[in-house]
Amino acid sequence: MACNQDIPEEAIDLHNKMVKYLDGYIFGDDLIKLKELFKDIPLTPAVMEKISNIYDLFKHLLDNKIISIGSYTKFISNLRLINPNQAAYVEKRERDMQEVIKRDLPVVTIGQTTYSVSTNSQVTLQCSVSANPAITSVVWQKSSGGTTSSITIDGTRYSGGSTTSPTLVINNAASTDSGTYVCRATNSIGTGTGTSITLSVTGSANHVNMASNQYIPKEVIALHNEMVIRLDGYILGDDLIKLKNFFKEIPLTSADMENIHNMYDLFEHLMKNEIISFGSYTKFISNLRQINPYQATYVEKKEREMKEIIKRGNGSGTDENITAEQPQDDIGSNRNSTAEDPDEGDSPAGEKSICKLS
């Protein structure tokens, strides 16, 4: 095994049990034959005389680094000539030990250490976890003003932060979200901690628009974020590469392609280049259908839901009872709104707490 590598107690225990088991099968003539196969490499005649059982043989082979705990290649090769069944047993134990040795604390990797966003915008704190055994929980903690608290994932203000999608997404960021964030992932071995992330939320955000001067309701943004988080759990690896290739050069440059590692990145680039927008994913759906028809159908469903909300927010479907004197900006989904009561039924599209994509 690697130099200076610590061996887990569990692996040592498996090794000792294996040697004890072999001691009941490899003795007498079989032990003599096995020793002979190691004669001079590394066993000298003097050492050969001192080896009276399998325990002694293992000790000398370990001392001379012919074998190590979890690595018995030469021993298995020689034992197979004496007793194939026991050689197969040692191979199995070797695999068990190697699996134990590979186990470790989760390794938590972050995308970047600092983020600076405007108030009411969305920010994604990128995080990935590799672990063996698999992680059982992910917790994000925020420290600010000497106080540390765990983030409650509610699916609205905070989403992600799960074993399948460790990345934390903060919607409608507020100044109170400023602080230092740490992602912790736990498996049966223990807890791994990522490098701390500093988030700064300042100023105020502009508004998100799909068309000129059109505001996007918070409910639509929440549905969009929910959709992206779900897709990030399904479209990855080869599927993500295939999907990126459909957008190659239109609009993704080679540099863009290299920087897109997940669905969050892809959506960000497509929205920035106005290939898609909130509630309008035609080109994306068309390309996704060639990769994963089921998820394409899911996006279509979310698109319809968002469009319905946007239509309500823009006053679509209001009836003729709305008077000409009523300011158009005040028309909402309340069919009983009147000119005398312009504030009743205000459209959620007029919310001032949504960010703008440029």
Side-chain angles (χ1 to χ4, degrees), residues 181-195:
Y181 289 76
V182 172
C183 178
R184 303 183 189 279
T186 300
N187 65 6
S188 59
I189 305 300
T191 299
T193 303
T195 303

Side-chain angles (χ1 to χ4, degrees), residues 22-36:
L22 290 174
D23 189 55
Y25 287 90
I26 309 301
F27 54 89
D29 289 344
D30 282 351
L31 179 62
I32 293 171
K33 292 175 184 177
L34 187 57
K35 287 195 298 181
E36 287 291 333

Side-chain angles (χ1 to χ4, degrees), residues 56-76:
D56 296 338
L57 179 58
F58 266 89
K59 181 180 184 305
H60 281 84
L61 294 179
L62 284 166
D63 289 345
N64 287 276
K65 298 182 180 179
I66 300 301
I67 62 172
S68 58
I69 295 178
S71 181
Y72 308 100
T73 305
K74 183 63 176 176
F75 181 83
I76 292 170

